[in-house]
Amino acid sequence: MIQGSTELVAIVGSPIAQVKSPENFNRWFADHQQNVAMLAIDLAPTALQNFIQTLRGWQNMRGCVVTVPYKQLLASRLDSLSERSAALRSVNVIRREADGRLVGDIVDGEGFLNAARKHAFNPKDKQALVIGTGGVGSAIAYSLCQAGVSHLVISDLSQERVEVLGELLRSAFPEIVVSANPLTLKHFDLVVNASPVGMGAATDDGPMPLPNALMETLSATALVADVVTSPQVTPFLACARRMGCAIQTGPEMALAQLGNLGHFMGVTPLDI
Ligand code: NAD
């Protein structure tokens, strides 16, 4: 029950009906007797500037999770950003400080790594491939570099995106080898699909982000992950599983990120 004394957090995007964060957070708040609630806000693009002004003055609002299409649009309008948000020019969470200042971070990559660690994957000195260098792929690639992979390979249909992200990572992490477009998968400890390929497909028959010939070079010791949340097991993950690899699903990443989002807004511990 929302009361006058209830503190609020929100998730903002458009459309918003499909998001799972409100039910996940509100269940956690109820289970832990916290007088906090999450609202889902379907915001029209024309209202963005007014929304930011309102957020600064909204005194019982602790913060806001940000989803499509506002991750980049909001990053340029906040008062300060984490180093990775500033580098990637993107936010997926905002904290409202007591004085109304708005601070942003992007924790998609941290959520991904939390889920991977549950599969006993330790990124230090490992070789990883990230397919798709959009908002989520860039955040995962950045967090993998922060966590100390030795070699990161990125690929995307857009060569320009690969080049821009490659430049950014090489300048932020000069000690890490960053290259593009792999010819074989056999050396990778981690292979991630961070593109939307496979979204809405049938598990056993649907589009793949890599050609079959390349999939056949996968090592059975690799962890293979997908960010796509529906279906839970994408055609890509089903293929990796047939080849004997451990798999990590999109919903695992989403769930593993809750603590990072809640902790940044100051409403949950990091590890929930
Ligand atoms: P985006 O549009 O910013 O980026 C997608 C990128 O994938 C683009 O650069 C595009 O060129 C590339 N791409 C498309 N097809 C490709 C292919 N065949 N091969 C290589 N690259 C290809 O999208 P985004 O915001 O990064 O979201 C990506 C996916 O992540 C979506 O499906 C979204 O639903 C999902 N997502 C999952 C979580 C989670 O917690 N699991 C969180 C956020 C988003």
Side-chain angles (χ1 to χ4, degrees), residues 68 71 108 131-137 155-158 161 194-197 199 208-209 226-229 250-251 253-254 257:
V68 177
K71 288 176 157 191
D108 285 308
I131 307 150
T133 57
V136 174
S155 75
D156 196 293
L157 290 182
S158 158
R161 282 190 171 194
S195 82
V197 175
M199 194 158 65
M208 300 275 291
D226 208 317
V227 302
V228 168
T229 49
M253 166 182 163
Q257 200 184 149

Side-chain angles (χ1 to χ4, degrees), residues 43-172:
L43 189 75
T46 49
L48 192 63
Q49 200 51 44
N50 285 343
F51 175 71
I52 292 170
Q53 273 314 104
T54 302
L55 209 52
R56 290 189 208 283
W58 195 335
Q59 299 187 106
N60 62 345
M61 178 65 78
R62 301 288 297 277
C64 197
V65 176
V66 181
T67 187
V68 177
Y70 296 123
K71 288 176 157 191
Q72 287 81 17
L73 288 168
L74 275 167
S76 58
R77 292 170 161 87
L78 303 182
D79 299 304
S80 66
L81 297 175
S82 68
E83 194 180 305
R84 58 185 165 225
S85 267
L88 298 169
R89 300 196 180 121
S90 182
V91 293
N92 79 332
V93 62
I94 298 170
R95 177 174 65 246
R96 182 190 178 280
E97 304 285 20
D99 61 4
R101 281 183 319 112
L102 303 177
V103 183
D105 194 5
I106 180 152
V107 298
D108 285 308
E110 296 307 295
F112 177 87
L113 281 180
N114 290 343
R117 287 194 182 98
K118 290 191 179 140
H119 288 278
F121 177 78
N122 174 1
K124 185 87 186 119
D125 297 326
K126 296 292 190 326
Q127 301 199 34
L129 167 64
V130 177
I131 307 150
T133 57
V136 174
S138 302
I140 292 172
Y142 199 93
S143 286
L144 283 168
C145 289
Q146 282 187 313
V149 292
S150 60
H151 190 172
L152 180 75
V153 182
I154 51 178
S155 75
D156 196 293
L157 290 182
S158 158
Q159 207 44 42
E160 192 191 335
R161 282 190 171 194
V162 169
E163 277 160 28
V164 169
L165 181 63
E167 276 306 299
L168 187 159
L169 295 174
R170 277 182 217 104
S171 93

